[in-house]
Amino acid sequence: MEYANHLQEYAPAPTAESVAAQVASLKAAAAENGNIDIYKRCLAAVDLTTLSCSDSAESVAALARRAAEFYIDYPDLQNVASVCVYPPFVENVGLAIDGTPMRITSVAGGFPSSQTFLEVKMLEVAMAIENGADEVDIVLNVGEILAGNYDEAANEVEVLREESEGATLKVILETGALRSPGLIYNAALLSMAAGADFIKTSTGKIDIGATPEAAVVMCQAIGEYFRKTGRRVGFKAAGGVRTKEDAVLYYTIVKELLGEEWLTPELFRIGASSLANCLLSAIEGHEVKYF
């Protein structure tokens, strides 16, 4: 399918100058949002993530069991949205959280570089879902985007959308590699047009992770796509989101640019590991190392 020709149907990409001005304004607004109620909402948006070369079935299962125990230990708080792992550990997570409303997220499709055969990406996505993944985080083919091969990149997403039928598909733009507002904006629109349920900032595996500048551009693209199609696509910040201040800033960006409707786990996520403990500590008023 042709996708690149349809980019002209959307509003132009924001300039770097306009994005910088918006970020400055949003940082000021975020300073007013540092309160327990918002920390709770950010905690409920967390995809509790372990994507390490040292992960094992035992370590992943232990983390997932701990997340499942949260429902008992903190019955008055909404738990994290999901546990996010590599594909071989999906079944371990499923056994540990069985009977809870928590979801299972698997990275797939050649994560983190997306540099493998399309057939391998398809198989990995399909196997992750077959093993129990509710959500799949794939990486947009950044090389194709940088080369100007927009249709090729979008068609890969379309194929993986078909493979992930019935699951939530999050497409990682790897904004730190795209860098410019124009490329990030186009990548976001292409991914959404190809079927993404969420667009996500980063893999966390390169030197530049999530930034408020990228988030502003992505949320503007989400808003523009919604105005054109009527379909709401979610936003996920990931890659270096570690502090409660970071979480509140991304919460504020989504609230101000997209509105309250997007501030639910169905449309707003934060991929993180240490952040969950940071938010829980802020909510409880003392240091907590739970997860």
Side-chain angles (χ1 to χ4, degrees):
M1 179 173 173
E2 291 189 355
Y3 288 94
N5 289 343
H6 295 286
L7 289 174
Q8 61 190 355
E9 299 171 7
Y10 298 92
T15 64
E17 293 75 17
S18 69
V19 171
Q22 278 194 293
V23 168
S25 174
L26 289 161
K27 284 183 175 178
E32 304 297 319
N33 285 338
N35 61 65
I36 289 176
D37 286 342
I38 291 176
Y39 297 151
K40 289 179 179 179
R41 297 185 75 174
C42 289
L43 179 63
V46 167
D47 286 341
L48 187 66
T49 301
T50 180
L51 297 171
S52 168
C53 65
S54 60
D55 286 344
S56 66
E58 292 76 15
S59 67
V60 169
L63 177 67
R65 283 195 298 270
R66 191 65 170 152
E69 291 165 357
F70 188 92
Y71 293 101
I72 298 170
D73 296 335
Y74 293 92
D76 297 327
L77 293 179
Q78 190 171 347
N79 201 356
V80 297
S82 80
V83 177
C84 178
V85 296
Y86 281 115
F89 305 120
V90 166
E91 194 169 3
N92 302 106
V93 176
L95 291 171
I97 69 171
D98 187 43
T100 78
M102 201 181 319
R103 295 173 70 80
I104 305 169
T105 298
S106 175
V107 296
F111 179 95
S113 69
S114 193
Q115 298 288 10
T116 189
F117 300 104
L118 179 58
E119 292 82 0
V120 173
K121 298 178 187 182
M122 293 166 63
L123 181 59
E124 191 173 47
V125 167
M127 290 181 69
I129 294 171
E130 184 178 351
N131 282 355
D134 304 297
E135 306 181 355
V136 176
D137 290 16
I138 66 168
V139 186
L140 184 68
N141 193 321
V142 174
E144 295 283 29
I145 294 292
L146 293 174
N149 300 325
Y150 287 177
D151 285 340
E152 288 82 349
N155 275 295
E156 277 201 6
V157 173
E158 181 184 340
V159 169
L160 298 180
R161 165 75 280 173
E162 292 171 359
E163 287 294 329
S164 59
E165 192 62 39
T168 297
L169 181 69
K170 306 194 201 88
V171 178
I172 305 167
L173 306 187
E174 200 66 290
T175 55
L178 297 176
R179 296 180 180 268
S180 76
L183 282 175
I184 294 169
Y185 187 76
N186 285 342
L189 291 173
L190 290 165
S191 297
M192 291 185 286
D197 297 306
F198 270 77
I199 51 174
K200 174 179 170 182
T201 57
S202 319
T203 63
K205 301 299 184 183
I206 68 170
D207 55 343
I208 302 174
T211 66
E213 290 79 11
V216 164
V217 175
M218 291 169 66
C219 287
Q220 287 191 4
I222 290 170
E224 178 65 16
Y225 182 78
F226 174 68
R227 283 186 287 275
K228 179 174 170 53
T229 67
R231 186 169 77 91
R232 286 188 171 92
V233 174
F235 168 78
K236 179 175 175 179
V241 185
R242 297 185 178 91
T243 69
K244 62 182 187 294
E245 291 82 9
D246 292 337
V248 169
L249 177 56
Y250 290 111
Y251 171 97
T252 302
I253 291 170
V254 172
K255 180 179 180 181
E256 296 298 322
L257 296 186
L258 295 172
E260 190 72 24
E261 300 93 332
W262 263 265
L263 292 172
T264 69
E266 287 70 39
L267 290 170
F268 173 51
R269 296 288 180 86
I270 306 171
S273 51
S274 60
L275 177 66
N277 281 332
C278 180
L279 289 169
L280 187 55
S281 297
I283 293 165
E284 294 294 294
H286 59 87
E287 186 177 13
V288 179
K289 293 183 178 180
Y290 185 86
F291 295 101

